[in-house]
């Protein structure tokens, strides 16, 4: 509990479970199950910062600790149970407001047995916040606060004594800091005993409570997570090893510098640890805590890792062995593997496989199924020259990422029309404001972006930057930067007058790739805000491109997450496919609340001249060979499979053909049929032979009642029979 600066149902992938707050289990041996779990359950608690009223009824001047919304409490509970599920311990911690505090009348400050953990945690958070204004030289938390502390109450003291405490973090972010055990910004301040983490992952825990204060203009945000269990609350569970980061797949963003292994009642005081990476190299480790006499949840070994990458481009294994663990007087070893992976990338191929010259009736395209995915989205667009002018006249094709304190589109200054874009730093906003031109661009090797600008009140440390992304905004790369030219807020620069413009070359390395552009306004050193009124910041208008195409007339079609085939046709394109027009096809996958980036583009051009065999082949089986070949090796040529409506890539779909029976002195060969032989450009016949070398025709097939059939006279001197397909229109 050292101070820190700063199952009801099983988890099943799908957005319907994300709003739950407990009862989770996750299969950490499955990469996709962990990814879905993270993007559903972890991500479900990420929206708390966008809510402005999570702490209400509180007043520092009125000495009122206030309350927090149920939504915030749910976010914290969900985050706690997320980590517990990942670590493999019961993830059903109850945050009910009826649980009462630990301690006794013998305590110096005891609020009474009827005091709830929820009340104590909220008062403790209020005390931490009141003590830590933004004007103090250093922030402080204490599990033994003096009665002279601001807003001191006995309930608050109890909450401080039996809680994890954080200043500078509240809600789910505080839980992240406790589990990570270091300041998430600097990665330099840490708890060497991993006490906060051990309490959150304590195998016998059943109840917790959260107290939170949101940030204000003068007081720091804070959290108190009441983690202490009264004896009667402790869960009777089997002893187990509890590792963090967890055994199996672990998102790289959750990997800390201090690792731990816990076991209820074990003695790690003589233990040693070895960590070996996938290449067989041993990673240096430093044990920071192995004291079995410190009660901080389960007994644990804690060690610090060096050379740990918190952002991996490919899955990375770490093999851990902890030796000489004393359990019931017997020395034991425990080995496990942590598989660190990028939770924002998929291992499955996201490309489409199929014809680049489909018939105008459409075609099917194969995709690799993503196990555990919630949805697949198939996108059809046209690629046209980007000859538009992105002014600010409408909010179309725009992603506004600015503060709500001012309007992105303004009439104060403009290059043309009635509006321009403005970026500024009003008081209370982040010192990073941006908007995205929401058009997917395909640059050529000599492409460029041009925009007009006018500086308003713009600090000399302000910067306007044009950025590019080729991974749907997961990362952005700077292309060009414009600096401010005045610190005097009473001076309105007039040198630009919206006659200033910049031409930004797009590196040839992006040629042929789908990209987007962002305009970002930020501070480069120093501090200070700009007025929220028009006149402050920088103005942008008339964004144009040269040497680029863009993807337009976009239509998206949703499929189930395990889809293996998508269809390109008049429905998915939003209109009849046009002969000779270039279409761009892509697919992307959703897990939980997260859409993974689109896969590679496939350029296709429908061809109205394709008919018969060629149309069938390009529509569904573009990977097969000639009309006479037998790609699946089932004894039926590709052309015959075409005529009979079979799959030339499936050797096991011939059960309905070549099934003879005798009728009225004839041998009948029959197969289900729904096509039209005339429009298909083929003719089917039956043939017979005595020696499998010389074959004679026995008649033309007929289509009767949804079946195609031929009849062979049994009086003929024949021993062998077969189908024969004749080409009427050359394939």
């Amino acid at each position: 509990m050292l101070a820190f600066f700063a199952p009801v149902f099983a988890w099943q992938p799908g957005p319907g479970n994300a709003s739950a707050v407990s009862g989770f289990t996750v299969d950490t041996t499955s990469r996709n199950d962990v990814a879905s779990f993270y993007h559903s359950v972890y991500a479900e608690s990420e929206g708390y910062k966008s809510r402005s009223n999570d702490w209400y009824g509180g007043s520092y001047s009125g000495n009122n600790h206030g309350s927090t919304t149920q939504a915030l409490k749910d976010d914290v509970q969900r985050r706690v149970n997320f980590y517990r599920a990942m670590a493999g311990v019961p993830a059903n911690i109850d945050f009910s407001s009826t649980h009462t505090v630990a301690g006794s009348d013998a305590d110096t400050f005891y609020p009474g047995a009827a005091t709830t953990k929820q009340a104590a945690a909220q008062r403790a958070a209020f005390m931490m916040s009141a003590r830590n204004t933004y004007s103090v030289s250093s922030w402080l938390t204490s599990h033994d606060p003096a009665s002279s502390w601001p807003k001191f109450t006995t309930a608050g003291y109890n909450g401080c004594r039996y809680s994890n405490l954080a200043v500078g973090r509240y809600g789910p972010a505080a839980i992240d800091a406790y589990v990570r055990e270091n300041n998430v910004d600097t990665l330099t301040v840490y708890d060497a005993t991993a006490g906060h983490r051990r309490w959150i992952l304590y195998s016998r825990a059943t109840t917790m409570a959260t107290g939170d204060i949101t940030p204000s203009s003068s007081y720091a945000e804070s959290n108190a997570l009441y983690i202490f269990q009264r004896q009667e609350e402790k869960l009777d569970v089997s002893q187990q090893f509890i590792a963090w980061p967890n055994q199996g797949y672990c998102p790289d963003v959750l990997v800390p510098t201090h690792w731990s292994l816990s076991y209820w009642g074990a003695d790690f005081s003589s233990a040693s640890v070895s960590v070996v990476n996938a290449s067989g190299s041993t990673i240096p480790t430093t044990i920071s805590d192995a004291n079995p006499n410190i009660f901080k949840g389960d007994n644990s070994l804690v060690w610090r890792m060096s050379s740990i990458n918190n952002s991996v481009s490919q899955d990375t294994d770490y093999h851990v062995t902890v030796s000489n663990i004393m359990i019931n007087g017997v020395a034991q070893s425990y080995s496990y593997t942590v598989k660190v992976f990028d939770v924002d990338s998929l291992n499955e191929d996201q490309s489409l496989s199929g014809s680049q010259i489909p018939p105008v009736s459409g075609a099917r395209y194969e995709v690799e199924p993503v196990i555990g995915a919630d949805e697949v989205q198939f996108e059809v667009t046209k690629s046209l020259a980007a000859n538009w002018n992105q002014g600010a006249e409408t909010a179309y094709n725009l992603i506004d990422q600015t503060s709500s304190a001012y309007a992105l589109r303004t009439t104060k200054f403009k290059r043309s029309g009635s509006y321009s874009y403005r970026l500024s730093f009003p008081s209370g906003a982040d010192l990073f404001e941006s908007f995205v031109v929401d058009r997917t661009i395909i640059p050529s090797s000599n492409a460029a972006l041009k925009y007009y600008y006018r500086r308003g009140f713009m600090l000399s440390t302000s910067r306007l930057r044009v950025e590019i992304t080729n991974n749907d905004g997961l990362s952005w790369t700077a292309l060009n930067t414009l600096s401010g030219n005045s610190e005097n807020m009473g001076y309105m620069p007039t040198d630009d007058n919206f006659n200033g413009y910049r031409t930004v070359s797009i590196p040839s390395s992006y040629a042929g790739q789908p990209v987007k552009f962002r305009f970002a306004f930020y501070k480069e050193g120093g501090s200070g805000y700009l007025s929220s009124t028009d006149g402050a910041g920088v103005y942008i208008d008339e964004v144009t491109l040269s040497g680029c195409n863009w993807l337009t007339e976009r239509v998206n079609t949703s499929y189930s997450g395990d889809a293996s085939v998508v269809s390109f046709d008049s429905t998915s394109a939003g209109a009849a496919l046009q002969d000779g027009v270039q279409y761009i096809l892509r697919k992307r996958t959703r897990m939980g609340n997260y859409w993974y980036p689109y896969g590679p583009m496939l350029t296709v051009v429908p061809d109205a001249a394709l008919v018969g065999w060629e149309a069938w082949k390009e529509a569904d089986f573009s990977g097969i060979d000639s009309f006479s070949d037998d790609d699946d090796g089932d004894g039926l040529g590709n052309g015959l499979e075409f005529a009979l409506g079979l799959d030339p890539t499936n050797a096991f779909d011939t059960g309905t053909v070549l099934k003879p029976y005798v009728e009225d002195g004839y041998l009948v060969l029959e197969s289900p049929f729904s096509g039209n032989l005339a429009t298909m450009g083929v003719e089917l016949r039956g043939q017979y032979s005595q020696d499998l070398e010389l074959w004679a025709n026995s008649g033309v097939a007929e289509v009767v009642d949804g079946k195609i059939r031929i009849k062979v006279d049994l009086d003929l001197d024949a021993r062998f029979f077969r189908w024969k397909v004749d080409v009427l229109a050359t394939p």
Side-chain angles (χ1 to χ4, degrees):
M1 292 193 332
L2 294 181
F4 198 113
F5 171 66
V8 178
F9 62 88
W11 161 251
Q12 294 294 328
N17 287 334
S19 59
V21 295
S22 68
F24 307 122
T25 60
V26 57
D27 180 6
T28 58
T29 67
S30 167
R31 188 185 195 275
N32 284 2
D33 200 44
V34 172
S36 180
F37 187 56
Y38 177 89
H39 285 306
S40 296
V41 176
Y42 185 96
E44 183 70 12
S45 287
E46 284 294 88
Y48 71 102
K49 288 186 178 181
S50 65
R51 299 191 298 260
S52 60
N53 65 337
D54 270 341
W55 179 50
Y56 64 93
S59 168
Y60 293 96
S61 60
N63 195 21
N64 190 335
H65 57 273
S67 301
T68 58
T69 61
Q70 187 61 46
L72 182 60
K73 293 182 179 73
D74 287 349
D75 285 338
V76 175
Q77 183 179 4
R78 184 183 298 109
R79 185 63 54 88
V80 166
N81 282 313
F82 165 84
Y83 280 113
R84 290 179 64 86
M86 289 290 294
V89 295
N92 48 12
I93 299 298
D94 184 11
F95 273 50
S96 172
S97 61
T98 60
H99 299 300
T100 53
V101 296
S104 69
D105 290 331
D107 293 348
T108 302
F109 300 106
Y110 184 59
T115 305
T116 65
K117 292 181 179 182
Q118 179 62 66
Q122 186 62 30
R123 286 162 175 77
F126 188 57
M127 286 171 57
M128 295 299 104
S129 182
R131 163 60 180 79
N132 294 285
T133 65
Y134 289 110
S135 62
V136 299
S137 58
S138 62
W139 286 350
L140 176 68
T141 59
S142 174
H143 295 291
D144 187 23
S147 59
S148 60
W149 271 46
K151 319 305 178 187
F152 181 91
T153 58
T154 56
Y157 179 90
N158 181 277
C160 289
R161 184 174 180 82
Y162 295 113
S163 297
N164 285 345
L165 301 174
V167 173
R169 296 287 183 274
Y170 78 97
I175 308 306
D176 289 342
Y178 297 143
V179 175
R180 195 175 182 86
E181 286 295 9
N182 51 11
N183 185 300
V184 293
D185 293 328
T186 67
L187 303 184
T188 57
V189 181
Y190 55 87
D191 176 4
T193 69
H196 307 87
R197 177 193 304 163
R198 290 159 61 175
W199 279 121
I200 289 176
L201 302 182
Y202 182 33
S203 61
R204 304 181 69 189
T206 59
T207 71
M208 293 183 191
T210 184
D212 292 276
I213 304 296
T214 59
S216 67
S217 58
S218 301
Y219 296 91
E221 62 265 42
S222 63
N223 170 267
L225 182 71
Y226 205 111
I227 46 75
F228 205 82
Q229 310 294 303
R230 300 197 317 274
Q231 188 61 38
E232 63 271 22
E233 294 173 328
K234 294 180 181 178
L235 191 66
D236 184 13
V237 295
S238 300
Q239 292 170 295
Q240 67 178 98
F241 283 104
I242 305 166
W244 193 262
N246 59 275
Q247 181 173 353
Y249 284 98
C250 180
D252 56 359
V253 293
L254 303 182
V255 175
T257 57
H258 283 66
W259 293 29
S260 60
L261 181 69
S262 303
Y263 191 95
W264 172 29
D267 184 348
F268 291 93
S269 58
S270 299
S272 60
V273 61
S274 171
V275 182
V276 179
N277 63 22
S279 63
S281 300
T282 299
I283 299 175
T285 61
T286 303
I287 293 176
S288 60
D289 183 72
N291 190 342
N293 299 314
I294 298 179
F295 179 44
K296 296 179 178 178
D298 294 310
N299 291 359
S300 301
L301 180 73
V302 184
W303 64 94
R304 184 167 188 172
M305 298 283 290
S306 61
S307 305
I308 291 297
N309 191 349
N310 295 96
S311 178
V312 298
S313 58
Q314 61 183 12
D315 297 2
T316 305
D317 288 358
Y318 295 96
H319 307 289
V320 181
T321 299
V322 179
S323 305
N324 205 32
I325 309 166
M326 300 302 296
I327 300 176
N328 299 323
V330 179
Q332 299 187 27
S333 294
Y334 184 69
S335 297
Y336 61 98
T337 299
V338 177
K339 296 178 173 292
V340 180
F341 76 107
D342 179 3
V343 76
D344 291 333
S345 70
L346 290 170
N347 275 353
E348 291 85 353
D349 185 3
Q350 294 294 287
S351 61
L352 296 160
S353 176
S355 175
Q356 291 186 273
I357 311 174
V360 291
S361 58
R364 70 173 187 173
Y365 292 82
E366 295 182 353
V367 297
E368 183 176 350
V370 179
I371 297 174
D374 294 299
E375 184 181 358
V376 165
Q377 196 172 72
F378 175 52
E379 180 189 79
V380 178
T381 60
K382 292 180 182 178
S383 179
L384 301 177
N387 54 9
W388 36 259
N389 183 325
Q390 177 84 27
E393 303 312 301
T394 71
Y396 296 131
N397 300 308
L398 184 71
I399 300 176
D400 185 349
Q401 299 174 331
T402 63
S403 164
S404 59
Y406 70 98
L408 172 61
R409 298 169 56 242
T410 177
T411 59
K412 178 70 175 181
F413 301 112
K414 51 269 184 186
R415 166 72 181 176
S416 62
S418 302
Y419 291 86
S420 68
Y421 302 114
R422 181 175 72 107
L423 295 173
S424 188
F425 299 138
S427 177
D430 290 335
L431 295 181
F432 187 95
E433 298 283 284
S434 63
F435 69 90
V436 177
V437 178
D438 191 22
R439 301 178 192 252
T440 302
I441 308 301
I442 312 297
S444 66
S445 58
N446 60 347
L449 177 148
K450 179 178 178 180
Y451 70 95
Y452 284 85
Y453 67 87
R454 172 172 179 156
R455 297 181 181 93
F457 297 131
M458 187 175 172
L459 302 176
S460 61
T461 54
S462 300
R463 303 288 184 268
L464 173 65
R465 189 166 65 201
V466 178
E467 300 175 329
I468 190 172
T469 180
N470 62 353
N471 56 18
D472 290 344
L474 286 180
S475 61
W476 294 87
T477 300
L479 295 181
N480 184 267
T481 302
L482 172 71
S483 298
N485 64 351
S486 174
E487 294 185 10
N488 184 349
M489 294 298 294
Y491 169 70
M492 172 66 76
T494 58
D495 57 322
D496 295 331
N497 291 323
F498 251 129
N499 292 317
Y501 68 88
R502 290 238 168 157
T503 299
V504 181
S505 296
I506 302 171
S508 59
S509 58
Y510 291 100
Q513 299 183 44
V515 302
K516 287 187 178 181
F517 297 98
R518 179 170 77 175
F519 286 82
F521 192 51
Y522 65 100
K523 291 276 292 179
E524 191 169 90
S527 60
Y529 296 100
L530 298 174
S531 169
S532 60
T533 60
D534 270 353
V538 62
Y539 297 81
I540 302 130
D541 205 355
E542 293 190 12
V543 181
T544 57
L545 290 162
S546 60
C548 296
N549 278 15
W550 71 301
L551 303 186
T552 185
E553 298 184 34
R554 178 182 304 175
V555 180
N556 287 306
T557 304
S558 290
Y559 288 83
S560 63
D562 60 353
S564 60
V565 174
V566 297
S567 296
F568 171 54
D569 51 29
S570 59
T571 299
S572 60
L577 302 185
Q578 296 177 266
D579 179 35
V581 172
Q582 186 179 86
Y583 293 84
I584 305 295
L585 313 182
R586 298 190 297 174
K587 62 93 68 167
R588 63 175 181 169
T589 298
R590 178 176 64 81
M591 282 192 178
N593 301 320
Y594 181 75
W595 281 105
Y596 285 86
Y598 281 102
M601 297 186 303
L602 180 65
T603 302
V604 302
V605 180
D607 186 353
L610 296 177
V611 294
W613 150 265
E614 286 292 348
W616 175 80
K617 174 178 178 292
E618 294 301 326
D620 294 322
F621 306 106
S622 63
I624 67 174
D625 297 316
S626 70
F627 188 86
S628 58
D629 285 333
D630 180 10
D631 276 63
D632 58 7
D634 61 358
L636 301 181
N638 295 335
L640 184 56
E641 300 223 29
F642 159 58
L644 295 178
L646 301 177
D647 184 342
T649 65
N650 179 7
F652 303 99
D653 67 340
T654 59
T656 60
V657 300
L658 300 180
K659 294 284 188 179
Y661 62 91
V662 175
E663 180 182 83
D664 298 332
Y666 287 89
L667 179 70
V668 180
L669 299 179
E670 188 175 79
S671 180
F673 186 77
S674 59
N676 185 314
L677 293 175
T679 59
M680 293 167 64
V682 295
E683 182 180 73
L684 271 176
R685 291 181 177 274
Q687 290 191 321
Y688 62 93
S689 172
Q690 295 179 347
D691 54 11
L692 292 178
E693 291 185 2
L694 297 175
W695 292 88
N697 294 331
S698 65
V700 177
E702 298 177 314
V703 178
V704 179
D705 296 330
K707 295 180 180 180
I708 189 167
R709 56 189 293 177
I710 58 173
K711 298 165 63 176
V712 180
D713 191 340
L714 289 177
D715 290 336
L716 297 173
D717 187 10
R719 298 176 183 175
F720 305 101
F721 305 90
R722 72 180 182 183
W723 292 98
K724 180 178 182 292
V725 59
D726 291 319
V727 181
L728 301 180
T730 303

